[in-house]
mmCIF file with all atom_site columns, all heavy atoms in Angstrom:
data_model
loop_
_atom_site.group_PDB
_atom_site.id
_atom_site.type_symbol
_atom_site.label_atom_id
_atom_site.label_alt_id
_atom_site.label_comp_id
_atom_site.label_asym_id
_atom_site.label_entity_id
_atom_site.label_seq_id
_atom_site.pdbx_PDB_ins_code
_atom_site.Cartn_x
_atom_site.Cartn_y
_atom_site.Cartn_z
_atom_site.occupancy
_atom_site.B_iso_or_equiv
_atom_site.pdbx_formal_charge
_atom_site.auth_seq_id
_atom_site.auth_comp_id
_atom_site.auth_asym_id
_atom_site.auth_atom_id
_atom_site.pdbx_PDB_model_num
ATOM   1   N N   . PRO A 1 44  ? -1.805  2.775   -4.530  1.00 98.00 ? 44  PRO A N   1
ATOM   2   C CA  . PRO A 1 44  ? -3.156  2.692   -3.959  1.00 98.00 ? 44  PRO A CA  1
ATOM   3   C C   . PRO A 1 44  ? -3.806  1.322   -4.161  1.00 98.00 ? 44  PRO A C   1
ATOM   4   O O   . PRO A 1 44  ? -3.244  0.428   -4.797  1.00 98.00 ? 44  PRO A O   1
ATOM   5   C CB  . PRO A 1 44  ? -3.912  3.761   -4.742  1.00 98.00 ? 44  PRO A CB  1
ATOM   6   C CG  . PRO A 1 44  ? -3.279  3.719   -6.094  1.00 98.00 ? 44  PRO A CG  1
ATOM   7   C CD  . PRO A 1 44  ? -1.811  3.422   -5.855  1.00 98.00 ? 44  PRO A CD  1
ATOM   8   N N   . GLY A 1 45  ? -5.038  1.220   -3.660  1.00 97.00 ? 45  GLY A N   1
ATOM   9   C CA  . GLY A 1 45  ? -5.859  0.037   -3.918  1.00 97.00 ? 45  GLY A CA  1
ATOM   10  C C   . GLY A 1 45  ? -6.451  0.118   -5.312  1.00 97.00 ? 45  GLY A C   1
ATOM   11  O O   . GLY A 1 45  ? -6.467  1.181   -5.940  1.00 97.00 ? 45  GLY A O   1
ATOM   12  N N   . GLY A 1 46  ? -6.911  -0.995  -5.786  1.00 97.00 ? 46  GLY A N   1
ATOM   13  C CA  . GLY A 1 46  ? -7.468  -1.096  -7.136  1.00 97.00 ? 46  GLY A CA  1
ATOM   14  C C   . GLY A 1 46  ? -7.338  -2.545  -7.565  1.00 97.00 ? 46  GLY A C   1
ATOM   15  O O   . GLY A 1 46  ? -7.635  -3.445  -6.792  1.00 97.00 ? 46  GLY A O   1
ATOM   16  N N   . GLU A 1 47  ? -6.880  -2.772  -8.775  1.00 96.00 ? 47  GLU A N   1
ATOM   17  C CA  . GLU A 1 47  ? -6.624  -4.136  -9.247  1.00 96.00 ? 47  GLU A CA  1
ATOM   18  C C   . GLU A 1 47  ? -5.131  -4.289  -9.496  1.00 96.00 ? 47  GLU A C   1
ATOM   19  O O   . GLU A 1 47  ? -4.584  -3.688  -10.424 1.00 96.00 ? 47  GLU A O   1
ATOM   20  C CB  . GLU A 1 47  ? -7.393  -4.408  -10.541 1.00 96.00 ? 47  GLU A CB  1
ATOM   21  C CG  . GLU A 1 47  ? -8.796  -4.934  -10.331 1.00 96.00 ? 47  GLU A CG  1
ATOM   22  C CD  . GLU A 1 47  ? -8.862  -6.139  -9.408  1.00 96.00 ? 47  GLU A CD  1
ATOM   23  O OE1 . GLU A 1 47  ? -8.059  -7.079  -9.546  1.00 96.00 ? 47  GLU A OE1 1
ATOM   24  O OE2 . GLU A 1 47  ? -9.746  -6.129  -8.511  1.00 96.00 ? 47  GLU A OE2 1
ATOM   25  N N   . SER A 1 48  ? -4.505  -5.131  -8.695  1.00 96.00 ? 48  SER A N   1
ATOM   26  C CA  . SER A 1 48  ? -3.053  -5.263  -8.801  1.00 96.00 ? 48  SER A CA  1
ATOM   27  C C   . SER A 1 48  ? -2.619  -5.770  -10.177 1.00 96.00 ? 48  SER A C   1
ATOM   28  O O   . SER A 1 48  ? -1.598  -5.331  -10.711 1.00 96.00 ? 48  SER A O   1
ATOM   29  C CB  . SER A 1 48  ? -2.531  -6.187  -7.700  1.00 96.00 ? 48  SER A CB  1
ATOM   30  O OG  . SER A 1 48  ? -3.217  -7.417  -7.721  1.00 96.00 ? 48  SER A OG  1
ATOM   31  N N   . THR A 1 49  ? -3.415  -6.660  -10.769 1.00 95.00 ? 49  THR A N   1
ATOM   32  C CA  . THR A 1 49  ? -3.021  -7.213  -12.076 1.00 95.00 ? 49  THR A CA  1
ATOM   33  C C   . THR A 1 49  ? -3.057  -6.117  -13.146 1.00 95.00 ? 49  THR A C   1
ATOM   34  O O   . THR A 1 49  ? -2.170  -6.040  -14.003 1.00 95.00 ? 49  THR A O   1
ATOM   35  C CB  . THR A 1 49  ? -3.959  -8.363  -12.506 1.00 95.00 ? 49  THR A CB  1
ATOM   36  O OG1 . THR A 1 49  ? -5.307  -7.934  -12.311 1.00 95.00 ? 49  THR A OG1 1
ATOM   37  C CG2 . THR A 1 49  ? -3.717  -9.612  -11.699 1.00 95.00 ? 49  THR A CG2 1
ATOM   38  N N   . THR A 1 77  ? -1.315  0.193   -0.297  1.00 98.00 ? 77  THR A N   1
ATOM   39  C CA  . THR A 1 77  ? -2.562  -0.224  0.344   1.00 98.00 ? 77  THR A CA  1
ATOM   40  C C   . THR A 1 77  ? -3.263  -1.231  -0.553  1.00 98.00 ? 77  THR A C   1
ATOM   41  O O   . THR A 1 77  ? -3.440  -0.989  -1.743  1.00 98.00 ? 77  THR A O   1
ATOM   42  C CB  . THR A 1 77  ? -3.514  0.977   0.584   1.00 98.00 ? 77  THR A CB  1
ATOM   43  O OG1 . THR A 1 77  ? -3.791  1.627   -0.657  1.00 98.00 ? 77  THR A OG1 1
ATOM   44  C CG2 . THR A 1 77  ? -2.883  1.998   1.511   1.00 98.00 ? 77  THR A CG2 1
ATOM   45  N N   . CYS A 1 78  ? -3.660  -2.336  0.042   1.00 97.00 ? 78  CYS A N   1
ATOM   46  C CA  . CYS A 1 78  ? -4.493  -3.345  -0.629  1.00 97.00 ? 78  CYS A CA  1
ATOM   47  C C   . CYS A 1 78  ? -3.807  -3.841  -1.911  1.00 97.00 ? 78  CYS A C   1
ATOM   48  O O   . CYS A 1 78  ? -2.823  -4.558  -1.829  1.00 97.00 ? 78  CYS A O   1
ATOM   49  C CB  . CYS A 1 78  ? -5.884  -2.783  -0.877  1.00 97.00 ? 78  CYS A CB  1
ATOM   50  S SG  . CYS A 1 78  ? -7.112  -4.062  -1.026  1.00 97.00 ? 78  CYS A SG  1
ATOM   51  N N   . ALA A 1 79  ? -4.272  -3.457  -3.099  1.00 97.00 ? 79  ALA A N   1
ATOM   52  C CA  . ALA A 1 79  ? -3.576  -3.874  -4.316  1.00 97.00 ? 79  ALA A CA  1
ATOM   53  C C   . ALA A 1 79  ? -2.113  -3.429  -4.278  1.00 97.00 ? 79  ALA A C   1
ATOM   54  O O   . ALA A 1 79  ? -1.221  -4.127  -4.767  1.00 97.00 ? 79  ALA A O   1
ATOM   55  C CB  . ALA A 1 79  ? -4.277  -3.307  -5.548  1.00 97.00 ? 79  ALA A CB  1
ATOM   56  N N   . GLY A 1 80  ? -1.862  -2.281  -3.673  1.00 98.00 ? 80  GLY A N   1
ATOM   57  C CA  . GLY A 1 80  ? -0.485  -1.779  -3.537  1.00 98.00 ? 80  GLY A CA  1
ATOM   58  C C   . GLY A 1 80  ? 0.383   -2.711  -2.712  1.00 98.00 ? 80  GLY A C   1
ATOM   59  O O   . GLY A 1 80  ? 1.581   -2.879  -2.974  1.00 98.00 ? 80  GLY A O   1
ATOM   60  N N   . LEU A 1 82  ? -0.033  -5.918  -2.687  1.00 98.00 ? 82  LEU A N   1
ATOM   61  C CA  . LEU A 1 82  ? 0.264   -7.052  -3.581  1.00 98.00 ? 82  LEU A CA  1
ATOM   62  C C   . LEU A 1 82  ? 1.397   -6.712  -4.552  1.00 98.00 ? 82  LEU A C   1
ATOM   63  O O   . LEU A 1 82  ? 2.196   -7.575  -4.910  1.00 98.00 ? 82  LEU A O   1
ATOM   64  C CB  . LEU A 1 82  ? -0.997  -7.453  -4.354  1.00 98.00 ? 82  LEU A CB  1
ATOM   65  C CG  . LEU A 1 82  ? -2.119  -8.038  -3.477  1.00 98.00 ? 82  LEU A CG  1
ATOM   66  C CD1 . LEU A 1 82  ? -3.430  -8.076  -4.244  1.00 98.00 ? 82  LEU A CD1 1
ATOM   67  C CD2 . LEU A 1 82  ? -1.743  -9.432  -2.988  1.00 98.00 ? 82  LEU A CD2 1
ATOM   68  N N   . ARG A 1 105 ? -4.040  -13.166 -1.996  1.00 94.00 ? 105 ARG A N   1
ATOM   69  C CA  . ARG A 1 105 ? -4.916  -12.245 -2.732  1.00 94.00 ? 105 ARG A CA  1
ATOM   70  C C   . ARG A 1 105 ? -6.380  -12.626 -2.540  1.00 94.00 ? 105 ARG A C   1
ATOM   71  O O   . ARG A 1 105 ? -6.711  -13.805 -2.476  1.00 94.00 ? 105 ARG A O   1
ATOM   72  C CB  . ARG A 1 105 ? -4.536  -12.334 -4.212  1.00 94.00 ? 105 ARG A CB  1
ATOM   73  C CG  . ARG A 1 105 ? -5.194  -11.315 -5.054  1.00 94.00 ? 105 ARG A CG  1
ATOM   74  C CD  . ARG A 1 105 ? -4.620  -11.308 -6.465  1.00 94.00 ? 105 ARG A CD  1
ATOM   75  N NE  . ARG A 1 105 ? -5.346  -10.290 -7.210  1.00 94.00 ? 105 ARG A NE  1
ATOM   76  C CZ  . ARG A 1 105 ? -5.732  -10.433 -8.457  1.00 94.00 ? 105 ARG A CZ  1
ATOM   77  N NH1 . ARG A 1 105 ? -5.439  -11.526 -9.126  1.00 94.00 ? 105 ARG A NH1 1
ATOM   78  N NH2 . ARG A 1 105 ? -6.403  -9.470  -9.045  1.00 94.00 ? 105 ARG A NH2 1
ATOM   79  N N   . ASN A 1 106 ? -7.266  -11.637 -2.474  1.00 91.00 ? 106 ASN A N   1
ATOM   80  C CA  . ASN A 1 106 ? -8.708  -11.876 -2.256  1.00 91.00 ? 106 ASN A CA  1
ATOM   81  C C   . ASN A 1 106 ? -8.898  -12.901 -1.130  1.00 91.00 ? 106 ASN A C   1
ATOM   82  O O   . ASN A 1 106 ? -9.678  -13.836 -1.248  1.00 91.00 ? 106 ASN A O   1
ATOM   83  C CB  . ASN A 1 106 ? -9.384  -12.367 -3.536  1.00 91.00 ? 106 ASN A CB  1
ATOM   84  C CG  . ASN A 1 106 ? -9.326  -11.318 -4.638  1.00 91.00 ? 106 ASN A CG  1
ATOM   85  O OD1 . ASN A 1 106 ? -9.364  -10.124 -4.369  1.00 91.00 ? 106 ASN A OD1 1
ATOM   86  N ND2 . ASN A 1 106 ? -9.211  -11.751 -5.874  1.00 91.00 ? 106 ASN A ND2 1
ATOM   87  N N   . ILE A 1 132 ? -11.659 -4.160  1.372   1.00 95.00 ? 132 ILE A N   1
ATOM   88  C CA  . ILE A 1 132 ? -12.427 -4.380  0.134   1.00 95.00 ? 132 ILE A CA  1
ATOM   89  C C   . ILE A 1 132 ? -11.703 -5.433  -0.701  1.00 95.00 ? 132 ILE A C   1
ATOM   90  O O   . ILE A 1 132 ? -10.626 -5.173  -1.236  1.00 95.00 ? 132 ILE A O   1
ATOM   91  C CB  . ILE A 1 132 ? -12.573 -3.074  -0.676  1.00 95.00 ? 132 ILE A CB  1
ATOM   92  C CG1 . ILE A 1 132 ? -13.229 -1.986  0.173   1.00 95.00 ? 132 ILE A CG1 1
ATOM   93  C CG2 . ILE A 1 132 ? -13.373 -3.332  -1.956  1.00 95.00 ? 132 ILE A CG2 1
ATOM   94  C CD1 . ILE A 1 132 ? -13.222 -0.607  -0.472  1.00 95.00 ? 132 ILE A CD1 1
ATOM   95  N N   . ARG A 1 133 ? -12.260 -6.605  -0.789  1.00 93.00 ? 133 ARG A N   1
ATOM   96  C CA  . ARG A 1 133 ? -11.617 -7.738  -1.487  1.00 93.00 ? 133 ARG A CA  1
ATOM   97  C C   . ARG A 1 133 ? -10.113 -7.732  -1.203  1.00 93.00 ? 133 ARG A C   1
ATOM   98  O O   . ARG A 1 133 ? -9.265  -7.774  -2.105  1.00 93.00 ? 133 ARG A O   1
ATOM   99  C CB  . ARG A 1 133 ? -11.905 -7.670  -2.996  1.00 93.00 ? 133 ARG A CB  1
ATOM   100 C CG  . ARG A 1 133 ? -13.392 -7.878  -3.305  1.00 93.00 ? 133 ARG A CG  1
ATOM   101 C CD  . ARG A 1 133 ? -13.687 -7.846  -4.790  1.00 93.00 ? 133 ARG A CD  1
ATOM   102 N NE  . ARG A 1 133 ? -13.204 -6.633  -5.395  1.00 93.00 ? 133 ARG A NE  1
ATOM   103 C CZ  . ARG A 1 133 ? -12.143 -6.575  -6.208  1.00 93.00 ? 133 ARG A CZ  1
ATOM   104 N NH1 . ARG A 1 133 ? -11.491 -7.658  -6.530  1.00 93.00 ? 133 ARG A NH1 1
ATOM   105 N NH2 . ARG A 1 133 ? -11.757 -5.416  -6.695  1.00 93.00 ? 133 ARG A NH2 1
ATOM   106 N N   . ALA A 1 134 ? -9.836  -7.720  0.063   1.00 95.00 ? 134 ALA A N   1
ATOM   107 C CA  . ALA A 1 134 ? -8.469  -7.442  0.509   1.00 95.00 ? 134 ALA A CA  1
ATOM   108 C C   . ALA A 1 134 ? -7.595  -8.697  0.561   1.00 95.00 ? 134 ALA A C   1
ATOM   109 O O   . ALA A 1 134 ? -8.089  -9.802  0.730   1.00 95.00 ? 134 ALA A O   1
ATOM   110 C CB  . ALA A 1 134 ? -8.530  -6.830  1.909   1.00 95.00 ? 134 ALA A CB  1
ATOM   111 N N   . PRO A 1 135 ? -6.296  -8.472  0.431   1.00 96.00 ? 135 PRO A N   1
ATOM   112 C CA  . PRO A 1 135 ? -5.340  -9.549  0.711   1.00 96.00 ? 135 PRO A CA  1
ATOM   113 C C   . PRO A 1 135 ? -5.015  -9.527  2.210   1.00 96.00 ? 135 PRO A C   1
ATOM   114 O O   . PRO A 1 135 ? -5.363  -8.580  2.905   1.00 96.00 ? 135 PRO A O   1
ATOM   115 C CB  . PRO A 1 135 ? -4.111  -9.117  -0.084  1.00 96.00 ? 135 PRO A CB  1
ATOM   116 C CG  . PRO A 1 135 ? -4.170  -7.614  -0.058  1.00 96.00 ? 135 PRO A CG  1
ATOM   117 C CD  . PRO A 1 135 ? -5.625  -7.225  0.009   1.00 96.00 ? 135 PRO A CD  1
ATOM   118 N N   . HIS A 1 168 ? -7.886  -0.039  3.711   1.00 98.00 ? 168 HIS A N   1
ATOM   119 C CA  . HIS A 1 168 ? -7.830  1.256   3.025   1.00 98.00 ? 168 HIS A CA  1
ATOM   120 C C   . HIS A 1 168 ? -7.917  2.396   4.040   1.00 98.00 ? 168 HIS A C   1
ATOM   121 O O   . HIS A 1 168 ? -9.017  2.882   4.310   1.00 98.00 ? 168 HIS A O   1
ATOM   122 C CB  . HIS A 1 168 ? -9.018  1.387   2.066   1.00 98.00 ? 168 HIS A CB  1
ATOM   123 C CG  . HIS A 1 168 ? -8.926  0.531   0.850   1.00 98.00 ? 168 HIS A CG  1
ATOM   124 N ND1 . HIS A 1 168 ? -8.428  0.994   -0.342  1.00 98.00 ? 168 HIS A ND1 1
ATOM   125 C CD2 . HIS A 1 168 ? -9.269  -0.759  0.640   1.00 98.00 ? 168 HIS A CD2 1
ATOM   126 C CE1 . HIS A 1 168 ? -8.472  0.031   -1.243  1.00 98.00 ? 168 HIS A CE1 1
ATOM   127 N NE2 . HIS A 1 168 ? -8.977  -1.049  -0.675  1.00 98.00 ? 168 HIS A NE2 1
HETATM 128 N N1  . LIG B 2 .   ? -8.550  -7.642  -4.999  1.00 70.71 ? 201 LIG B N1  1
HETATM 129 C C1  . LIG B 2 .   ? -7.678  -6.638  -5.506  1.00 70.71 ? 201 LIG B C1  1
HETATM 130 C C2  . LIG B 2 .   ? -6.435  -7.244  -6.150  1.00 70.71 ? 201 LIG B C2  1
HETATM 131 O O1  . LIG B 2 .   ? -6.289  -8.416  -6.098  1.00 70.71 ? 201 LIG B O1  1
HETATM 132 C C3  . LIG B 2 .   ? -7.288  -5.682  -4.400  1.00 70.71 ? 201 LIG B C3  1
HETATM 133 C C4  . LIG B 2 .   ? -8.506  -4.978  -3.894  1.00 70.71 ? 201 LIG B C4  1
HETATM 134 C C5  . LIG B 2 .   ? -8.264  -3.569  -3.477  1.00 70.71 ? 201 LIG B C5  1
HETATM 135 O O2  . LIG B 2 .   ? -7.222  -2.974  -3.718  1.00 70.71 ? 201 LIG B O2  1
HETATM 136 N N2  . LIG B 2 .   ? -9.280  -3.003  -2.862  1.00 70.71 ? 201 LIG B N2  1
HETATM 137 O O3  . LIG B 2 .   ? -5.631  -6.556  -6.698  1.00 70.71 ? 201 LIG B O3  1
#
Side-chain angles (χ1 to χ4, degrees):
E47 272 308 314
S48 53
T49 47
T77 58
C78 204
L82 293 166
R105 189 171 179 220
N106 297 327
I132 303 171
R133 294 181 305 108
H168 288 265

